Amino acid sequence: MSSFSLPELAYSYDALEPHIDKMTMEIHHTKHHNGYVTKLNAAVDGTELEGKTLEELMADVSSHPTAVRNNGGGHFNHSLFWSIMKGGGSSPSGEIADALNSAFGSFDSFKDDFSNAAATRFGSGWAWLIVSDGSLAITSTPNQDNPLMDVVEKKGTPILGLDVWEHAYYLKYQNRRPEYIDNWFNVINWDEVANRYATAK
Ligand code: MN3
């Protein structure tokens, strides 16, 4: 019995067109994410880690095999990523909009700072909006690390994440990561981010 399974998407592979293309979504979900799930199960099943939640594994990931860090992170990060996107996107409103304005001055200023974190992450990794000690902050991590892990500089609860591995954008955008980042803002599901914020703050 495998501990973890690949989550279904709440939308079709072409739902995020034209900003994120169907083929990228299909390969990203069925090959990349599925690969992290398969390798994570291989790393934990039959060991003392079997039955632990992802959050539990992340909290003391430095004491686990590297395969748990890479593939547990990969599974957590992609599960979050799919959930915070939807076709047509949305705009932040209510409490999360107020919190963004309060932390960053304005939504445009938040977008600039987040985009800069995503664009300047060297090589493969992620940009994050986190709740840390009750406040919003922007961070980025290499590879499949995330702010729940005990190995990162700044810990927190991620409520929005952007995958800047080349596999997330290369088919459509090639080397133009900033263009991918800019277009991704059109498919953010701010209702889901608001829900995560309400739970984490
Ligand atoms: Mn990815």
Short mmCIF file of all heavy atoms in Angstrom, two decimals, residues 90-145:
data_model
loop_
_atom_site.label_atom_id
_atom_site.label_comp_id
_atom_site.label_asym_id
_atom_site.label_seq_id
_atom_site.Cartn_x
_atom_site.Cartn_y
_atom_site.Cartn_z
N SER A 90 -8.20 35.01 -10.83
CA SER A 90 -9.08 35.87 -10.03
C SER A 90 -8.24 36.98 -9.43
O SER A 90 -7.02 37.03 -9.64
CB SER A 90 -9.79 35.07 -8.93
OG SER A 90 -8.84 34.55 -8.02
N SER A 91 -8.87 37.87 -8.69
CA SER A 91 -8.15 38.96 -8.02
C SER A 91 -8.27 38.80 -6.52
O SER A 91 -9.30 38.34 -6.04
CB SER A 91 -8.71 40.32 -8.43
OG SER A 91 -8.55 40.52 -9.82
N PRO A 92 -7.24 39.19 -5.78
CA PRO A 92 -7.36 39.12 -4.32
C PRO A 92 -8.40 40.11 -3.83
O PRO A 92 -8.51 41.22 -4.36
CB PRO A 92 -5.96 39.48 -3.82
CG PRO A 92 -5.28 40.17 -4.95
CD PRO A 92 -5.93 39.71 -6.21
N SER A 93 -9.16 39.70 -2.82
CA SER A 93 -10.15 40.60 -2.22
C SER A 93 -10.22 40.30 -0.73
O SER A 93 -9.68 39.31 -0.25
CB SER A 93 -11.52 40.41 -2.88
OG SER A 93 -11.98 39.09 -2.66
N GLY A 94 -10.88 41.21 0.00
CA GLY A 94 -11.08 40.99 1.42
C GLY A 94 -9.78 40.95 2.21
O GLY A 94 -8.85 41.72 1.95
N GLU A 95 -9.73 40.00 3.14
CA GLU A 95 -8.64 39.94 4.10
C GLU A 95 -7.27 39.77 3.45
O GLU A 95 -6.29 40.42 3.85
CB GLU A 95 -8.92 38.76 5.04
CG GLU A 95 -8.14 38.79 6.31
CD GLU A 95 -8.56 37.65 7.25
OE1 GLU A 95 -8.64 36.50 6.79
OE2 GLU A 95 -8.81 37.95 8.42
N ILE A 96 -7.16 38.91 2.44
CA ILE A 96 -5.85 38.68 1.81
C ILE A 96 -5.40 39.92 1.04
O ILE A 96 -4.21 40.25 1.03
CB ILE A 96 -5.86 37.41 0.90
CG1 ILE A 96 -4.47 37.12 0.32
CG2 ILE A 96 -6.86 37.53 -0.24
CD1 ILE A 96 -3.43 36.73 1.34
N ALA A 97 -6.34 40.63 0.41
CA ALA A 97 -5.99 41.87 -0.29
C ALA A 97 -5.47 42.91 0.71
O ALA A 97 -4.45 43.59 0.45
CB ALA A 97 -7.21 42.42 -1.03
N ASP A 98 -6.14 43.03 1.84
CA ASP A 98 -5.69 43.97 2.89
C ASP A 98 -4.30 43.59 3.40
O ASP A 98 -3.45 44.46 3.62
CB ASP A 98 -6.68 43.97 4.06
CG ASP A 98 -8.05 44.53 3.67
OD1 ASP A 98 -8.13 45.21 2.63
OD2 ASP A 98 -9.02 44.28 4.41
N ALA A 99 -4.09 42.29 3.59
CA ALA A 99 -2.80 41.83 4.10
C ALA A 99 -1.67 42.09 3.11
O ALA A 99 -0.56 42.46 3.51
CB ALA A 99 -2.89 40.34 4.44
N LEU A 100 -1.95 41.92 1.82
CA LEU A 100 -0.93 42.20 0.79
C LEU A 100 -0.60 43.69 0.78
O LEU A 100 0.58 44.08 0.72
CB LEU A 100 -1.44 41.76 -0.59
CG LEU A 100 -1.50 40.26 -0.85
CD1 LEU A 100 -2.30 39.96 -2.12
CD2 LEU A 100 -0.10 39.64 -0.95
N ASN A 101 -1.62 44.53 0.85
CA ASN A 101 -1.39 45.98 0.87
C ASN A 101 -0.59 46.39 2.10
O ASN A 101 0.32 47.22 2.02
CB ASN A 101 -2.74 46.73 0.84
CG ASN A 101 -3.40 46.65 -0.51
OD1 ASN A 101 -2.74 46.50 -1.54
ND2 ASN A 101 -4.73 46.73 -0.53
N SER A 102 -0.94 45.79 3.22
CA SER A 102 -0.27 46.14 4.47
C SER A 102 1.20 45.71 4.45
O SER A 102 2.08 46.43 4.90
CB SER A 102 -1.02 45.46 5.62
OG SER A 102 -0.28 45.55 6.80
N ALA A 103 1.47 44.52 3.91
CA ALA A 103 2.85 43.98 3.93
C ALA A 103 3.73 44.58 2.85
O ALA A 103 4.94 44.74 3.06
CB ALA A 103 2.80 42.46 3.79
N PHE A 104 3.16 44.88 1.69
CA PHE A 104 3.99 45.26 0.54
C PHE A 104 3.67 46.66 0.00
O PHE A 104 4.30 47.10 -0.96
CB PHE A 104 3.85 44.23 -0.58
CG PHE A 104 4.17 42.82 -0.12
CD1 PHE A 104 3.16 41.89 0.10
CD2 PHE A 104 5.49 42.44 0.12
CE1 PHE A 104 3.46 40.61 0.56
CE2 PHE A 104 5.80 41.17 0.56
CZ PHE A 104 4.77 40.25 0.79
N GLY A 105 2.69 47.35 0.56
CA GLY A 105 2.35 48.71 0.12
C GLY A 105 1.23 48.73 -0.89
O GLY A 105 0.36 49.59 -0.82
N SER A 106 1.25 47.79 -1.84
CA SER A 106 0.20 47.71 -2.85
C SER A 106 0.29 46.34 -3.52
O SER A 106 1.31 45.64 -3.38
CB SER A 106 0.37 48.80 -3.92
OG SER A 106 1.55 48.54 -4.68
N PHE A 107 -0.75 45.97 -4.27
CA PHE A 107 -0.67 44.70 -4.99
C PHE A 107 0.44 44.74 -6.04
O PHE A 107 1.18 43.77 -6.22
CB PHE A 107 -2.01 44.35 -5.67
CG PHE A 107 -1.94 43.04 -6.41
CD1 PHE A 107 -2.01 41.84 -5.72
CD2 PHE A 107 -1.75 43.02 -7.79
CE1 PHE A 107 -1.90 40.62 -6.40
CE2 PHE A 107 -1.64 41.81 -8.46
CZ PHE A 107 -1.72 40.61 -7.77
N ASP A 108 0.58 45.86 -6.74
CA ASP A 108 1.62 45.97 -7.77
C ASP A 108 3.02 45.81 -7.18
O ASP A 108 3.90 45.21 -7.78
CB ASP A 108 1.50 47.30 -8.51
CG ASP A 108 0.32 47.32 -9.47
OD1 ASP A 108 -0.23 46.23 -9.77
OD2 ASP A 108 -0.06 48.42 -9.91
N SER A 109 3.19 46.37 -5.99
CA SER A 109 4.49 46.24 -5.33
C SER A 109 4.74 44.79 -4.91
O SER A 109 5.86 44.27 -5.05
CB SER A 109 4.52 47.17 -4.12
OG SER A 109 5.75 47.02 -3.44
N PHE A 110 3.69 44.11 -4.41
CA PHE A 110 3.82 42.68 -4.12
C PHE A 110 4.20 41.91 -5.37
O PHE A 110 5.10 41.07 -5.36
CB PHE A 110 2.50 42.12 -3.56
CG PHE A 110 2.37 40.64 -3.76
CD1 PHE A 110 3.14 39.74 -3.05
CD2 PHE A 110 1.50 40.13 -4.74
CE1 PHE A 110 3.05 38.36 -3.28
CE2 PHE A 110 1.40 38.77 -4.98
CZ PHE A 110 2.18 37.88 -4.25
N LYS A 111 3.50 42.20 -6.47
CA LYS A 111 3.75 41.48 -7.73
C LYS A 111 5.20 41.68 -8.19
O LYS A 111 5.86 40.74 -8.64
CB LYS A 111 2.78 41.94 -8.81
CG LYS A 111 2.92 41.16 -10.12
CD LYS A 111 1.92 41.62 -11.17
CE LYS A 111 2.21 40.91 -12.50
NZ LYS A 111 1.34 41.38 -13.58
N ASP A 112 5.70 42.91 -8.07
CA ASP A 112 7.09 43.19 -8.44
C ASP A 112 8.07 42.39 -7.59
O ASP A 112 9.01 41.79 -8.11
CB ASP A 112 7.40 44.69 -8.27
CG ASP A 112 6.79 45.54 -9.36
OD1 ASP A 112 6.32 44.97 -10.37
OD2 ASP A 112 6.78 46.78 -9.20
N ASP A 113 7.85 42.40 -6.29
CA ASP A 113 8.77 41.71 -5.37
C ASP A 113 8.72 40.20 -5.59
O ASP A 113 9.76 39.53 -5.60
CB ASP A 113 8.40 42.02 -3.91
CG ASP A 113 8.70 43.46 -3.54
OD1 ASP A 113 9.28 44.19 -4.36
OD2 ASP A 113 8.36 43.86 -2.41
N PHE A 114 7.51 39.66 -5.75
CA PHE A 114 7.37 38.21 -5.95
C PHE A 114 8.01 37.81 -7.29
O PHE A 114 8.74 36.81 -7.37
CB PHE A 114 5.89 37.81 -5.91
CG PHE A 114 5.67 36.33 -5.91
CD1 PHE A 114 5.51 35.64 -4.71
CD2 PHE A 114 5.62 35.61 -7.10
CE1 PHE A 114 5.31 34.25 -4.71
CE2 PHE A 114 5.43 34.23 -7.11
CZ PHE A 114 5.28 33.55 -5.91
N SER A 115 7.73 38.59 -8.32
CA SER A 115 8.27 38.29 -9.65
C SER A 115 9.80 38.34 -9.64
O SER A 115 10.46 37.52 -10.29
CB SER A 115 7.73 39.29 -10.69
OG SER A 115 6.33 39.19 -10.77
N ASN A 116 10.33 39.29 -8.90
CA ASN A 116 11.79 39.41 -8.80
C ASN A 116 12.39 38.19 -8.09
O ASN A 116 13.43 37.66 -8.52
CB ASN A 116 12.15 40.69 -8.06
CG ASN A 116 13.64 40.95 -8.07
OD1 ASN A 116 14.25 40.98 -9.13
ND2 ASN A 116 14.23 41.11 -6.88
N ALA A 117 11.72 37.72 -7.04
CA ALA A 117 12.20 36.53 -6.33
C ALA A 117 12.18 35.31 -7.25
O ALA A 117 13.09 34.48 -7.22
CB ALA A 117 11.34 36.28 -5.10
N ALA A 118 11.13 35.22 -8.07
CA ALA A 118 11.01 34.08 -8.99
C ALA A 118 12.02 34.17 -10.13
O ALA A 118 12.60 33.16 -10.54
CB ALA A 118 9.59 34.02 -9.55
N ALA A 119 12.24 35.38 -10.63
CA ALA A 119 13.14 35.56 -11.77
C ALA A 119 14.60 35.37 -11.38
O ALA A 119 15.42 34.92 -12.19
CB ALA A 119 12.93 36.95 -12.38
N THR A 120 14.95 35.72 -10.14
CA THR A 120 16.34 35.69 -9.74
C THR A 120 16.73 34.41 -9.01
O THR A 120 17.89 34.24 -8.63
CB THR A 120 16.69 36.89 -8.83
OG1 THR A 120 15.83 36.87 -7.68
CG2 THR A 120 16.49 38.20 -9.58
N ARG A 121 15.78 33.50 -8.79
CA ARG A 121 16.12 32.18 -8.22
C ARG A 121 17.02 31.47 -9.23
O ARG A 121 16.60 31.12 -10.32
CB ARG A 121 14.83 31.40 -7.95
CG ARG A 121 14.95 29.89 -7.74
CD ARG A 121 16.00 29.43 -6.75
NE ARG A 121 15.94 30.02 -5.42
CZ ARG A 121 16.93 29.89 -4.53
NH1 ARG A 121 18.02 29.21 -4.82
NH2 ARG A 121 16.82 30.48 -3.35
N PHE A 122 18.30 31.27 -8.90
CA PHE A 122 19.25 30.70 -9.85
C PHE A 122 18.97 29.21 -10.06
O PHE A 122 18.85 28.47 -9.08
CB PHE A 122 20.68 30.89 -9.36
CG PHE A 122 21.70 30.35 -10.33
CD1 PHE A 122 22.01 31.06 -11.48
CD2 PHE A 122 22.31 29.13 -10.10
CE1 PHE A 122 22.93 30.56 -12.39
CE2 PHE A 122 23.24 28.63 -11.01
CZ PHE A 122 23.55 29.34 -12.15
N GLY A 123 18.87 28.79 -11.31
CA GLY A 123 18.60 27.39 -11.60
C GLY A 123 17.17 27.01 -11.25
O GLY A 123 16.26 27.82 -11.41
N SER A 124 16.98 25.80 -10.75
CA SER A 124 15.63 25.28 -10.49
C SER A 124 15.18 25.59 -9.07
O SER A 124 15.97 25.51 -8.14
CB SER A 124 15.61 23.76 -10.69
OG SER A 124 15.92 23.45 -12.03
N GLY A 125 13.91 25.94 -8.91
CA GLY A 125 13.40 26.18 -7.57
C GLY A 125 12.02 26.78 -7.60
O GLY A 125 11.29 26.66 -8.59
N TRP A 126 11.68 27.45 -6.50
CA TRP A 126 10.34 27.97 -6.29
C TRP A 126 10.39 29.36 -5.65
O TRP A 126 11.30 29.65 -4.86
CB TRP A 126 9.56 27.05 -5.33
CG TRP A 126 9.24 25.71 -5.92
CD1 TRP A 126 10.12 24.67 -6.12
CD2 TRP A 126 7.97 25.26 -6.41
NE1 TRP A 126 9.46 23.61 -6.70
CE2 TRP A 126 8.14 23.95 -6.88
CE3 TRP A 126 6.71 25.85 -6.48
CZ2 TRP A 126 7.09 23.21 -7.43
CZ3 TRP A 126 5.66 25.12 -7.02
CH2 TRP A 126 5.86 23.82 -7.49
N ALA A 127 9.40 30.19 -5.95
CA ALA A 127 9.16 31.43 -5.22
C ALA A 127 7.90 31.24 -4.39
O ALA A 127 6.97 30.54 -4.81
CB ALA A 127 8.97 32.60 -6.18
N TRP A 128 7.89 31.83 -3.19
CA TRP A 128 6.81 31.60 -2.23
C TRP A 128 6.28 32.89 -1.62
O TRP A 128 7.06 33.81 -1.35
CB TRP A 128 7.33 30.74 -1.06
CG TRP A 128 7.94 29.44 -1.44
CD1 TRP A 128 9.28 29.14 -1.51
CD2 TRP A 128 7.25 28.24 -1.81
NE1 TRP A 128 9.44 27.83 -1.90
CE2 TRP A 128 8.22 27.25 -2.09
CE3 TRP A 128 5.89 27.90 -1.93
CZ2 TRP A 128 7.89 25.96 -2.49
CZ3 TRP A 128 5.56 26.62 -2.32
CH2 TRP A 128 6.56 25.67 -2.59
N LEU A 129 4.98 32.89 -1.35
CA LEU A 129 4.38 33.83 -0.42
C LEU A 129 4.05 33.01 0.82
O LEU A 129 3.34 32.01 0.72
CB LEU A 129 3.11 34.45 -1.01
CG LEU A 129 2.32 35.39 -0.10
CD1 LEU A 129 3.14 36.63 0.26
CD2 LEU A 129 0.99 35.79 -0.76
N ILE A 130 4.62 33.42 1.95
CA ILE A 130 4.45 32.63 3.17
C ILE A 130 3.83 33.48 4.29
O ILE A 130 3.90 34.71 4.25
CB ILE A 130 5.79 32.04 3.68
CG1 ILE A 130 6.76 33.16 4.10
CG2 ILE A 130 6.42 31.14 2.62
CD1 ILE A 130 8.03 32.63 4.81
N VAL A 131 3.26 32.77 5.25
CA VAL A 131 2.87 33.39 6.51
C VAL A 131 3.92 32.96 7.53
O VAL A 131 4.12 31.76 7.76
CB VAL A 131 1.47 32.94 6.97
CG1 VAL A 131 1.15 33.57 8.32
CG2 VAL A 131 0.43 33.32 5.93
N SER A 132 4.62 33.95 8.08
CA SER A 132 5.68 33.67 9.04
C SER A 132 5.46 34.56 10.26
O SER A 132 5.44 35.79 10.14
CB SER A 132 7.05 33.97 8.40
OG SER A 132 8.09 33.67 9.29
N ASP A 133 5.25 33.95 11.41
CA ASP A 133 4.93 34.69 12.64
C ASP A 133 3.77 35.66 12.42
O ASP A 133 3.81 36.81 12.87
CB ASP A 133 6.17 35.46 13.14
CG ASP A 133 7.29 34.51 13.55
OD1 ASP A 133 6.98 33.42 14.06
OD2 ASP A 133 8.46 34.87 13.34
N GLY A 134 2.77 35.21 11.67
CA GLY A 134 1.57 36.01 11.48
C GLY A 134 1.64 37.03 10.37
O GLY A 134 0.63 37.67 10.05
N SER A 135 2.84 37.21 9.76
CA SER A 135 2.99 38.22 8.71
C SER A 135 3.27 37.58 7.37
O SER A 135 3.83 36.48 7.29
CB SER A 135 4.15 39.16 9.04
OG SER A 135 3.93 39.80 10.26
N LEU A 136 2.92 38.27 6.28
CA LEU A 136 3.23 37.80 4.94
C LEU A 136 4.68 38.13 4.60
O LEU A 136 5.20 39.19 4.96
CB LEU A 136 2.32 38.48 3.91
CG LEU A 136 0.85 38.08 3.94
CD1 LEU A 136 0.08 38.90 2.90
CD2 LEU A 136 0.68 36.59 3.67
N ALA A 137 5.34 37.22 3.88
CA ALA A 137 6.71 37.46 3.41
C ALA A 137 6.91 36.69 2.11
O ALA A 137 6.22 35.71 1.84
CB ALA A 137 7.73 37.02 4.46
N ILE A 138 7.88 37.14 1.32
CA ILE A 138 8.25 36.49 0.06
C ILE A 138 9.60 35.82 0.26
O ILE A 138 10.53 36.43 0.80
CB ILE A 138 8.31 37.52 -1.08
CG1 ILE A 138 6.91 38.05 -1.40
CG2 ILE A 138 8.95 36.90 -2.33
CD1 ILE A 138 6.91 39.28 -2.28
N THR A 139 9.70 34.56 -0.18
CA THR A 139 10.98 33.86 -0.11
C THR A 139 11.14 33.05 -1.39
O THR A 139 10.22 32.96 -2.20
CB THR A 139 11.05 32.87 1.07
OG1 THR A 139 10.15 31.79 0.85
CG2 THR A 139 10.73 33.54 2.39
N SER A 140 12.32 32.46 -1.56
CA SER A 140 12.48 31.46 -2.62
C SER A 140 13.40 30.37 -2.11
O SER A 140 14.16 30.57 -1.16
CB SER A 140 13.01 32.09 -3.91
OG SER A 140 14.40 32.29 -3.85
N THR A 141 13.25 29.18 -2.71
CA THR A 141 14.04 28.02 -2.30
C THR A 141 14.56 27.31 -3.54
O THR A 141 13.94 27.35 -4.60
CB THR A 141 13.18 27.01 -1.50
OG1 THR A 141 12.01 26.68 -2.25
CG2 THR A 141 12.77 27.58 -0.14
N PRO A 142 15.71 26.61 -3.42
CA PRO A 142 16.24 25.85 -4.55
C PRO A 142 15.57 24.48 -4.66
O PRO A 142 14.99 23.97 -3.70
CB PRO A 142 17.72 25.70 -4.20
CG PRO A 142 17.74 25.67 -2.71
CD PRO A 142 16.62 26.59 -2.27
N ASN A 143 15.69 23.88 -5.83
CA ASN A 143 15.28 22.49 -6.06
C ASN A 143 13.83 22.27 -5.63
O ASN A 143 12.97 23.03 -6.03
CB ASN A 143 16.27 21.55 -5.37
CG ASN A 143 17.70 21.82 -5.84
OD1 ASN A 143 17.93 21.94 -7.04
ND2 ASN A 143 18.62 21.97 -4.92
N GLN A 144 13.55 21.23 -4.80
CA GLN A 144 12.18 21.03 -4.31
C GLN A 144 12.07 21.34 -2.82
O GLN A 144 11.16 20.87 -2.15
CB GLN A 144 11.70 19.60 -4.61
CG GLN A 144 11.58 19.26 -6.08
CD GLN A 144 10.52 20.09 -6.83
OE1 GLN A 144 9.79 20.88 -6.23
NE2 GLN A 144 10.45 19.92 -8.13
N ASP A 145 12.97 22.16 -2.31
CA ASP A 145 12.83 22.60 -0.92
C ASP A 145 11.60 23.51 -0.80
O ASP A 145 11.10 24.04 -1.80
CB ASP A 145 14.07 23.38 -0.47
CG ASP A 145 15.28 22.47 -0.27
OD1 ASP A 145 15.13 21.24 -0.38
OD2 ASP A 145 16.37 23.01 -0.01
#
